[in-house]
Amino acid sequence: MSKNETPTAVPPDVAARAARLRAEINEHNYRYHVLDAPVISDAEFDALLNELRAIESQYPELITPDSPTQRVGAPPAEGFAKVRHAQPILSLGNAFDVADVRAWRDRLVRYVQQNLDGEDDLRKLDDYVVEPKIDGLTVVLTYADGIFVQGATRGDGLVGEDITANLRAVRSVPLALRRTDVSAVPARLSVRGEAFMPIADFEQLNEAQRAAGERTFANPRNAAAGSLRQLDPNLTARRPLRLLCYAIVDFAPGVAGEAMPRTQWETLGYLRRLGFPVSDIAQRFDDLEAAIAYCTSYIEKRDALPFEIDGMVIKLNDLDLAQRLGYVGKDPRGAIAFKFPAREATTILKDVNITIGRTGNIVPNAVLEPVHIGGITVANATLHNYDDIARKDIRIGDRVIVKRAGDVIPYVAGPVVAARTGRERVITPPTECPFCGMSLVRREGEVALYCPNADCPGRLDRAISHFVSSGAMDIEGLGEKIVAQLIEAGLVADVADLYALKKEDLLGLERFAERKAQKLLDAIEASKRQPLERLIVGLGIRHVGEVAARALADRFGSLDALIEAAAESPEALQAIEGVGPVIAQSVSEWAKRESTRALIAKLKRAGVDPRQAPRSAAGQADGPLAGRTFVITGTLSQPREAIVAWIEAQGGKVTDSVSKNTSYLIVGDAPGASKINKARQLNVPMIGEEELRNLAR
Ligand code: IVH
C-alpha cells in the first residue's frame, strides 16, 4: 500500500506519540544494552514496543529507519553487497613482551626526532590510552545525520561487506545517536568497533546448539563471526552479540556541531556520549612503564573479564600526532597491540589413550603432534569424555584446535573440519576398563564412563599421588614418577603400603641413593602426625574437598567414628554444615565398602590414626562476614587454610564449589576456569583478596 493510494492523514497526536515512543524505547534499549542499567521491566519494554508496532502498522508512513521496530528486516536476496570504506581500516603491529613495547617507543622517539616536530611532539609521546584488545571482529558503523545507515565488516581493509541488516539486529548498536549529551550530532560519522560474544553467552549458545543437534563453535570469536555473517538477520538477532567501540574513522561536523575529538581519550568519552558502548577498563597513562604494568596486570585478570581478549592495545593519546606518524604496511605507528600468550593452536591428533581418574572416571587423552602454545610445548591434552568427542566429531588424524588457559589442563576444543583428508578415523568409546577388564558404567546424570571397581589398579597412581599431595598428607619427595616406580616394583598396592616401605626397598629403585631414601622415609613418618581432616582429604572420597573434610573431622574426631556414623545413615551427615546430600551419599557409600574398612584397619596398624576432640556443629554467628558463603579459586597471598580460617573467624563460610548459595567467588592467581564460568553463569560476584579484606571492615 503506497501513500498515494490511501491518503489517510496521520493525526498529529498519533505522529507525536510515535516519535515519543521511538525515543523512549531507544533510550531504554540504550540503558539496557549499553549501560547495563535498565529502569523498566522487560514486560513494560515489550508493551511500549507493541504500542509502537500497532501505530506503525496502521500508519506505515510513520516508520523511520531508526525505529526500534526495524531492528530485524528481511534477508538480502543474494549475499552481502560490497562496501568501500571511507578510510582504510588499518590493523595493528604486535608486541609479544615488554621489551617489544619499549622498542616501539624507542622507534617513535627516533621517528619524531628525524621526521617531525622535535620537542613538542616528543612531549606528546608520553601520553597513552590503554584498551582491551577484544578478540572479535572489526565492524564499521556509519551514521548520517545521527541515523544508522550502514554497517560493514573490515574485509581487506579497503572494501568490506555490507552487514547493515545484521548489525541493526545487535541490540547494543545504536540505531540513532543520542542527542542529549552533545550540542549537535555529526552530519556524518563512521565508528570502528569490535563485535564479539561474551564467554558465558558463547557457552550457553553451544549448549543450546548441542541440545538441538546443531554444530557447536570452537571459540567465541568463531561464534560471533558465524552469527554476523548469517544471511538472515533473524538469526543474528537471536545470537547474544555485543559491541565495544574505540575509534572514529570518518567525521563531518553537524550544523554548529562539536568538532572531532583530538585525543583518543576524548574519543572514548565522545563515543560514550553519543550512545556507543565503550570499554570501561580503558585507562590513560603519562608514562609508558605504567601503561605496560596495566597491560601485564590483565594477563591474569583476563580470566575474570566476561569476554575474551587476546591482549591490550597501547595508543598514543594525541590523534593528530598519531596521524602524522603514519603507518608501516597496514600497521599504524601510533598504536601497538601488547599480545598475551596464545591460548590455542592447531595440531594433529595422532591417537587417543585412556587414563583413569581417582574416582574411576575414564578420561580419553589426546596424543598430539607436539605444538607450542603460549610458551610451552603441548603433546597431550584432555578430550574430556566420549560424549564430547562424538558431539564435536573429533577423529584420529584430524587437525584439531588445542586450547590452554592459565593452569587449566590443555584440551581439544574441536576439529578443523575443512582440513580433513578423508583418512581420519572415528573414535569409539571403550566398553571395558583397560586396566581391570570390568564393564564400564555410566552414572545417572553424568557424561563420564566409570570403572566401577573401587580397587582398580588403574586408579592406584592417582589415588597415591592425591594422598601425598600438599593439600592432603603432604609427603614431599613422592612425585608422579616415583609413585609409578613404586607401583611398578610391586612395593605399594594401596596408600597404607607407603608406611611399610623400608630403606632397602627404595635403594633398589633407580636414582635412589641413601640420602634421598632417608628423606622420603622421614617425610612419610612425619605424615602420621597430619590432622584428621588432611587424612580424610587424602583418602579421596568422591565429592569431599578440603571444606567438607574439615567439617567431618570436626564433627567425628576419628576415622572410626566417621565410618560408623556414615555407614549407618547418610542423613546424619547432612545435618553438618558444609555437607549436602551429594557428599553425604558419597561418604556413606565409601564407608560401607569392604575395601574401605580393610584400608582403614591397615592404616591404623601402620600408626596412621589421627584423632581430635569431636565438636558439635557451631559456627561463628556474628562477625562481619556472617551469613556469607565464599568459594576460593587460584592462589592467594597465604596458604588456603589460612584464608579459610580467617574467613571463618570473621563469621563467614567457605565451601568447595560455586552454587547459587555462593555469595562471592574469591579469585586468586591462575584461577580455575570451571569455577569462574560457573560464577559467571550464576551471576556470583567475583572479588580479589583485597576486596575480601574490605568486606570484613
Ligand atoms: S585499534 C588504527 N583497538 O585488533 C586502529 N583494535 O590485531 C587499529 N581490536 O583489527 C585498531 N580491540 O579488530 C584497536 N581496542 C582496540 C581493539 C582493536 C580489538 C582488533 C581490531 C584490529 C585487530 C588488530
Side-chain angles (χ1 to χ4, degrees), residues 326-408:
Y327 44 91
V328 190
K330 285 184 172 177
D331 304 339
R333 287 199 177 83
I336 192 150
F338 187 135
K339 295 274 277 191
F340 291 162
R343 306 216 212 192
E344 60 176 74
T346 69
T347 187
I348 301 298
L349 174 62
K350 295 198 297 191
D351 202 358
V352 177
N353 68 23
I354 292 173
T355 54
I356 182 161
R358 197 160 50 75
T359 55
N361 51 316
I362 298 287
V363 185
N365 298 295
V367 180
L368 303 168
E369 194 75 52
V371 61
H372 291 284
I373 312 179
I376 66 160
T377 304
V378 177
N380 295 288
T382 177
L383 283 156
H384 297 303
N385 56 63
Y386 284 92
D387 271 18
D388 207 48
I389 294 176
R391 216 166 28 220
K392 293 177 178 160
D393 187 21
I394 299 170
R395 305 180 189 177
I396 291 175
D398 262 338
R399 176 161 285 279
V400 289
I401 299 170
V402 182
K403 294 200 194 190
R404 70 174 274 267
D407 60 352
V408 176

Side-chain angles (χ1 to χ4, degrees), residues 23 56-57 130 151 160 201 291 297 346 348 382 387 394 398 440 476 509 535-536 555 601 640 652:
E56 286 179 349
S57 80
V130 178
D201 291 314
S297 77
T346 69
I348 301 298
T382 177
D387 271 18
I394 299 170
D398 262 338
L440 299 178
E476 230 179 284
L509 300 175
L535 176 57
I536 297 177
R555 181 54 167 273
R640 189 169 289 222

Side-chain angles (χ1 to χ4, degrees), residues 90-92 94 131-134 137-138 154 192 194 246 313 315 332:
L90 299 176
S91 182
L92 278 175
N94 289 328
E131 299 167 16
K133 182 166 172 350
I134 299 143
L137 286 90
T138 287
R154 175 171 188 272
R192 176 171 179 175
E194 201 78 359
Y246 50 79
V313 189
K315 301 177 178 178

Side-chain angles (χ1 to χ4, degrees), residues 393-580:
D393 187 21
I394 299 170
R395 305 180 189 177
I396 291 175
D398 262 338
R399 176 161 285 279
V400 289
I401 299 170
V402 182
K403 294 200 194 190
R404 70 174 274 267
D407 60 352
V408 176
I409 302 166
Y411 65 96
V412 176
V416 182
V417 177
R420 285 210 169 127
T421 61
R423 286 195 299 276
E424 295 76 14
R425 278 186 295 127
V426 171
I427 299 165
T428 42
T431 53
E432 280 148 21
C433 173
F435 301 93
C436 71
M438 214 176 253
S439 289
L440 299 178
V441 297
R442 250 182 125 117
R443 294 196 178 126
E444 178 100 11
E446 291 188 24
V447 282
L449 290 169
Y450 280 89
C451 164
N453 178 5
D455 304 312
C456 174
R459 296 189 196 189
L460 190 57
D461 54 350
R462 295 297 172 102
I464 294 177
S465 291
H466 176 73
F467 185 80
V468 305
S469 66
S470 62
M473 297 300 266
D474 196 16
I475 302 177
E476 230 179 284
L478 257 184
E480 274 174 35
K481 286 213 176 93
I482 297 177
V483 170
Q485 270 182 303
L486 292 173
I487 296 174
E488 176 87 24
L491 290 168
V492 294
D494 60 38
V495 294
D497 284 340
L498 291 173
Y499 296 93
L501 285 175
K502 293 191 212 50
K503 198 183 282 182
E504 306 86 84
D505 297 334
L506 297 178
L507 290 176
L509 300 175
E510 220 179 294
R511 285 198 301 272
F512 256 100
E514 172 77 25
R515 238 172 74 89
K516 185 168 166 187
Q518 189 56 50
K519 249 180 107 173
L520 179 54
L521 290 176
D522 290 347
I524 293 174
E525 185 61 26
S527 74
K528 291 180 182 171
R529 293 189 293 277
Q530 291 288 9
L532 179 58
E533 62 188 73
R534 282 175 165 264
L535 176 57
I536 297 177
V537 170
L539 290 171
I541 310 165
R542 241 176 128 228
H543 302 300
V544 176
E546 278 168 43
V547 177
R550 177 155 181 203
L552 293 170
D554 277 352
R555 181 54 167 273
F556 295 106
S558 73
L559 274 187
D560 280 341
L562 166 62
I563 289 195
E564 213 56 52
E568 211 158 274
S569 97
E571 290 77 24
L573 299 179
Q574 278 189 56
I576 304 170
E577 185 71 65
V579 179

